[in-house]
Amino acid sequence: MRQLIVSAFAFAGLLALSGCGEQKTVDVRNESVADVVAKVGNSGPHFLPGRWESQMKFGKLDMPGLPPEMAAMMEKSMAEERSFASCLTKADVEKPGSSFFGQENNKCKYDSFTMGGGRIDAKLSCNDDEGTQEMTMNGVYTPETYAMTMSIKGKRAGGQAMNMTMSMTAKRAGECTGKE
C-alpha cells in the first residue's frame, strides 16, 4: 500500500507538470513511469512554476480480515482531509524526471495513460515484494487547477486484499515561499 500511496503523490506531481494551452494529447499503453513523464514533458506548454496547494481526502477503505479496532482507527485517520503545499520550480517544469515522481525503482508502469483537452484518465500497476497494486485515476485540469479521483486495489504478498478510494484537488497559489 505504501508504494501506491507514493504513486498517488507522484501522480499529483505529474499533473502539476502537465500542460495547458496548445498541449498535445498524450495517449499511451504499457509504458514505464519514466517514459510517460518524458512524453508529458514533451507534449507542450506547462503550468507556471510556483506554489501549489493540494488537498487529499480518502474515501472508502476495505481491508477484509483487518481487526475491527484497527479498521476503526484507520477509518478515523483517513476521514481527515490532508493538505500540503509544494513548490514547482522552473527546472521541474522544463525538464521533469522520473526521480521527481519517486519512481526510480521501475516497479510501476502505466497500463494506460491519456491526457489532453483538460481530461486525464490513467491506470497504473505496481508489483513489488509487498504485493501488487492497481490504481485508476480520472480527472480534469486547467492551467492552474486540477481535480481527480483515484481507486486503488491491492493484494499484499500474504494474500490480504485492500481497496480504497481517494480524491485530490490542487491549485496554484502564487509564487513559492520557501516553506513548501
Side-chain angles (χ1 to χ4, degrees):
M1 184 166 103
R2 182 178 49 82
Q3 177 69 30
L4 217 43
I5 298 299
V6 168
S7 296
F9 284 106
F11 189 75
L14 182 59
L15 278 178
L17 292 176
S18 62
C20 57
E22 297 298 317
Q23 179 192 32
K24 299 173 191 169
T25 295
V26 175
D27 188 11
V28 297
R29 304 285 178 267
N30 296 318
E31 294 275 352
S32 71
V33 172
D35 288 345
V36 170
V37 168
K39 288 176 181 177
V40 169
N42 292 325
S43 67
H46 301 287
F47 281 127
L48 294 174
R51 178 183 173 91
W52 281 81
E53 295 177 351
S54 305
Q55 290 77 40
M56 183 171 63
K57 175 111 170 119
F58 288 95
K60 180 184 98 172
L61 172 65
D62 181 25
M63 292 181 73
L66 193 65
E69 60 278 357
M70 184 173 271
M73 185 173 50
M74 287 182 73
E75 285 180 21
K76 181 180 178 186
S77 171
M78 291 174 56
E80 299 172 11
E81 184 173 271
R82 289 165 172 72
S83 297
F84 56 96
S86 57
C87 178
L88 184 63
T89 69
K90 184 176 180 184
D92 292 332
V93 170
E94 291 175 352
K95 193 168 185 167
S98 60
S99 62
F100 180 81
F101 307 106
Q103 295 297 318
E104 293 181 358
N105 60 18
N106 296 321
K107 297 193 181 202
C108 297
K109 72 173 180 65
Y110 282 100
D111 300 318
S112 62
F113 183 93
T114 303
M115 181 174 191
R119 292 239 6 111
I120 185 158
D121 295 291
K123 181 178 176 184
L124 180 73
S125 296
C126 300
N127 190 354
D128 61 21
D129 295 340
E130 294 181 22
T132 60
Q133 304 91 31
E134 181 180 286
M135 181 182 345
T136 57
M137 297 154 276
N138 308 97
V140 295
Y141 63 93
T142 69
E144 295 187 10
T145 64
Y146 68 82
M148 75 171 130
T149 58
M150 292 173 264
S151 173
I152 302 169
K153 295 179 181 183
K155 193 167 199 176
R156 297 191 57 85
Q160 183 180 17
M162 182 273 305
N163 296 306
M164 99 171 37
T165 60
M166 67 172 66
S167 61
M168 184 176 252
T169 60
K171 65 179 179 178
R172 185 176 184 279
E175 301 303 316
C176 294
T177 64
K179 297 179 182 179
E180 294 84 11

